[in-house]
């Protein structure tokens, strides 16, 4: 499999502020890659460097094997969809879709073909003669995607395209974008701070922090084997539980807590010393199932949050706050006592100082 986009030793600074630092990234042909991270981590900046909207301080950008580092955005063979729809209000949907093609001198018959194809794919054929003011937010974003689609390029760049939509529309359009990728099989690079979008859309996810990639992997790798404590905290809602303690002779010890580490898959040789032990709330068993877990204990419900399909329960284990999920049909009340347990094989252990996975 070849590479569609390659980023080599990319730096970008605004004065004394370093935004991207010696960043390297290879994106495969036809891959859906998501750039994920908190605000200010550099994900949109990286996308803008790929698009040519920002000039890199150092390093190179290759698209389909061609060095485009110094080329104009229009010459890079990319289509871009922004967070804001940026539609021309005085033009119809058809006018918005065809405007760039007309300026590029594309023949009228080809423009008609491209616009018709994009409208069919995005299911906006009946909207072609409306103006943006007569469209819903989801319809406007479809038109914005269509404007990139008619360019007939190999690489599509999405900069948080669903951020301005309500939750229902975000969910609907997320499915549409996934279907679009399955149908077109083009390379897509997608920026978001929403982990649900990342996990559901991506072939691979690159998690950025302070201008560097913390981890690059499949959604399964990112979720089940986070390489750093930051990645483990960032992925998952609610976030992973962490116990602060020490590893001594194959046992994790914390105040009022002692857990055998038999079966844990170490990244290298088994370690000792100060560490964090992480357990996801959804990996905690309760009631009768807890007794079958390698580690089990009894807790008192401090508070609970009903969410319909499941219930989030907050408690303490020793002096450390702990939360876990229950099936939404299980009834609990504040002060209830429950048996819970978990399997360390589904946990994550991180070095206290470096915060890297052990």
């Amino acid at each position: 499999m070849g590479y569609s986009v390659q980023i080599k030793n990319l730096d970008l600074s605004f004065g004394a502020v370093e935004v991207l630092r010696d960043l390297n990234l290879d994106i495969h042909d036809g891959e859906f890659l998501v750039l994920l991270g908190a605000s200010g981590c550099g994900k949109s900046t990286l996308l803008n460097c790929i698009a040519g909207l920002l000039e890199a301080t150092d390093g190179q950008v290759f698209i389909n094997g061609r060095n485009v580092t110094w080329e104009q955005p229009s010459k890079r063979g990319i289509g871009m969809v922004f967070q804001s729809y940026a539609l021309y209000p005085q033009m119809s949907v058809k006018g918005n879709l065809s405007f760039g093609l007309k300026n590029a001198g594309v023949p009228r018959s080809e423009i008609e073909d491209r616009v018709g194809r994009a409208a069919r794919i995005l299911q906006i054929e009946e909207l072609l003669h409306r103006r943006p003011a007569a469209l819903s937010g989801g319809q406007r974003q479809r038109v914005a995607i269509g404007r990139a689609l008619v360019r007939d390029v190999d690489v599509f760049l999405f900069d948080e395209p669903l951020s301005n939509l309500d939750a229902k529309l975000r969910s609907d359009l997320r499915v549409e974008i996934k279907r679009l990728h399955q149908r077109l099989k083009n390379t897509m690079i997608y920026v978001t701070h929403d982990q649900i979008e990342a996990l559901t859309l991506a072939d691979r996810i690159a998690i950025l922090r302070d201008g560097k990639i913390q981890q690059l992997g499949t959604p399964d790798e990112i979720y089940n084997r986070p390489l750093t404590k930051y990645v483990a905290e960032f992925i998952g809602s609610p976030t992973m539980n962490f116990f602060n303690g020490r590893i001594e002779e194959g046992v994790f010890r914390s105040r009022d807590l002692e857990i055998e580490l038999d079966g844990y898959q170490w990244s290298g040789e088994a370690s000792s010393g100060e560490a964090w032990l992480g357990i996801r709330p959804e990996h905690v068993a309760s009631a009768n199932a807890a007794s079958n877990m390698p580690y089990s204990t009894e807790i008192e419900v401090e508070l609970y949050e009903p969410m319909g399909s499941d219930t989030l329960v907050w408690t303490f284990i020793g002096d450390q706050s702990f939360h876990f999920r229950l099936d939404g049909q299980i009834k609990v009340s504040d002060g209830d006592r429950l048996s819970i347990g978990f399997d360390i094989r589904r946990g994550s252990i991180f070095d206290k100082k470096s915060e890297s996975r052990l």
Side-chain angles (χ1 to χ4, degrees), residues 175-192:
V175 173
E176 292 303 320
I177 290 173
K178 187 151 191 167
R179 284 178 177 154
L180 182 66
H181 180 249
Q182 289 176 341
R183 181 168 181 172
L184 298 178
K185 303 190 185 306
N186 293 62
T187 302
M188 294 186 177
I189 307 173
Y190 188 104
V191 163
T192 185

Side-chain angles (χ1 to χ4, degrees), residues 209 213-215 225-233 240 242 247 252 264-278 347-358:
R209 184 187 189 190
I213 295 176
Q214 292 273 302
Q215 185 170 354
R225 288 188 62 79
L227 296 183
T228 68
K229 183 172 179 282
Y230 175 82
V231 172
E233 284 181 294
M240 184 181 281
F242 289 99
I247 300 171
F252 179 88
Y264 178 77
Q265 188 177 351
W266 300 93
S267 292
E269 292 185 6
S271 298
S272 61
E274 294 188 347
W276 296 100
L277 169 61
S348 297
I349 302 176
F350 304 95
D351 179 75
K352 185 68 178 293
K353 187 174 181 180
S354 70
E355 298 196 346
S356 295
R357 187 180 187 89
L358 296 174

Side-chain angles (χ1 to χ4, degrees), residues 228-248:
T228 68
K229 183 172 179 282
Y230 175 82
V231 172
E233 284 181 294
F234 195 84
I235 291 291
S237 179
T239 189
M240 184 181 281
N241 294 287
F242 289 99
F243 294 105
N244 182 4
R246 291 184 59 82
I247 300 171
E248 298 171 348

Side-chain angles (χ1 to χ4, degrees), residues 182-221:
Q182 289 176 341
R183 181 168 181 172
L184 298 178
K185 303 190 185 306
N186 293 62
T187 302
M188 294 186 177
I189 307 173
Y190 188 104
V191 163
T192 185
H193 62 270
D194 186 326
Q195 57 174 292
I196 301 301
E197 285 181 26
L199 290 169
T200 54
L201 287 172
D203 294 321
R204 287 191 302 164
I205 300 170
I207 296 186
L208 278 76
R209 184 187 189 190
D210 298 332
K212 293 185 175 182
I213 295 176
Q214 292 273 302
Q215 185 170 354
L216 174 64
T218 65
D220 180 69
E221 290 167 345

Side-chain angles (χ1 to χ4, degrees), residues 55-262:
E55 187 176 300
T57 307
D58 199 4
Q60 296 175 310
V61 178
F62 291 81
I63 297 178
N64 291 327
R66 185 165 57 93
N67 190 337
V68 299
T69 309
W70 310 113
E71 292 194 6
Q72 294 297 314
S74 60
K75 304 295 185 183
R76 296 193 177 202
I78 53 106
M80 192 159 186
V81 181
F82 297 94
Q83 180 177 344
S84 60
Y85 316 124
L87 302 178
Y88 299 109
Q90 74 279 14
M91 293 184 183
S92 66
V93 168
K94 187 174 182 179
N96 271 279
L97 293 176
S98 60
F99 182 73
L101 300 178
K102 289 177 180 176
N103 283 350
V106 176
R108 180 178 297 180
S109 60
E110 187 174 345
I111 291 176
E112 290 291 328
D113 288 343
R114 290 194 194 183
V115 170
R117 174 175 173 268
R120 285 192 299 275
I121 290 173
L122 296 168
Q123 300 177 12
I124 55 173
E125 292 168 284
E126 72 280 5
L127 308 177
L128 288 175
H129 298 292
R130 292 191 195 177
R131 292 192 177 183
L135 305 178
S136 69
Q139 290 169 335
R140 292 180 196 179
Q141 195 56 280
R142 277 192 173 89
V143 176
I145 293 170
R147 197 167 50 186
L149 201 58
V150 296
R151 296 203 59 217
D152 198 24
V153 295
D154 294 324
V155 180
F156 291 101
L157 309 179
F158 294 84
D159 191 3
E160 303 206 43
L162 309 184
S163 294
N164 291 339
L165 305 178
D166 62 41
K168 176 66 167 61
L169 276 176
R170 280 204 307 273
S171 178
D172 291 345
L173 266 182
R174 197 167 65 227
V175 173
E176 292 303 320
I177 290 173
K178 187 151 191 167
R179 284 178 177 154
L180 182 66
H181 180 249
Q182 289 176 341
R183 181 168 181 172
L184 298 178
K185 303 190 185 306
N186 293 62
T187 302
M188 294 186 177
I189 307 173
Y190 188 104
V191 163
T192 185
H193 62 270
D194 186 326
Q195 57 174 292
I196 301 301
E197 285 181 26
L199 290 169
T200 54
L201 287 172
D203 294 321
R204 287 191 302 164
I205 300 170
I207 296 186
L208 278 76
R209 184 187 189 190
D210 298 332
K212 293 185 175 182
I213 295 176
Q214 292 273 302
Q215 185 170 354
L216 174 64
T218 65
D220 180 69
E221 290 167 345
I222 296 283
Y223 177 80
N224 288 307
R225 288 188 62 79
L227 296 183
T228 68
K229 183 172 179 282
Y230 175 82
V231 172
E233 284 181 294
F234 195 84
I235 291 291
S237 179
T239 189
M240 184 181 281
N241 294 287
F242 289 99
F243 294 105
N244 182 4
R246 291 184 59 82
I247 300 171
E248 298 171 348
E249 298 177 349
V251 178
F252 179 88
R253 291 188 172 90
S254 183
R255 184 181 298 178
D256 302 320
L257 187 70
E258 190 169 295
I259 301 173
E260 297 281 345
L261 299 182
D262 293 342

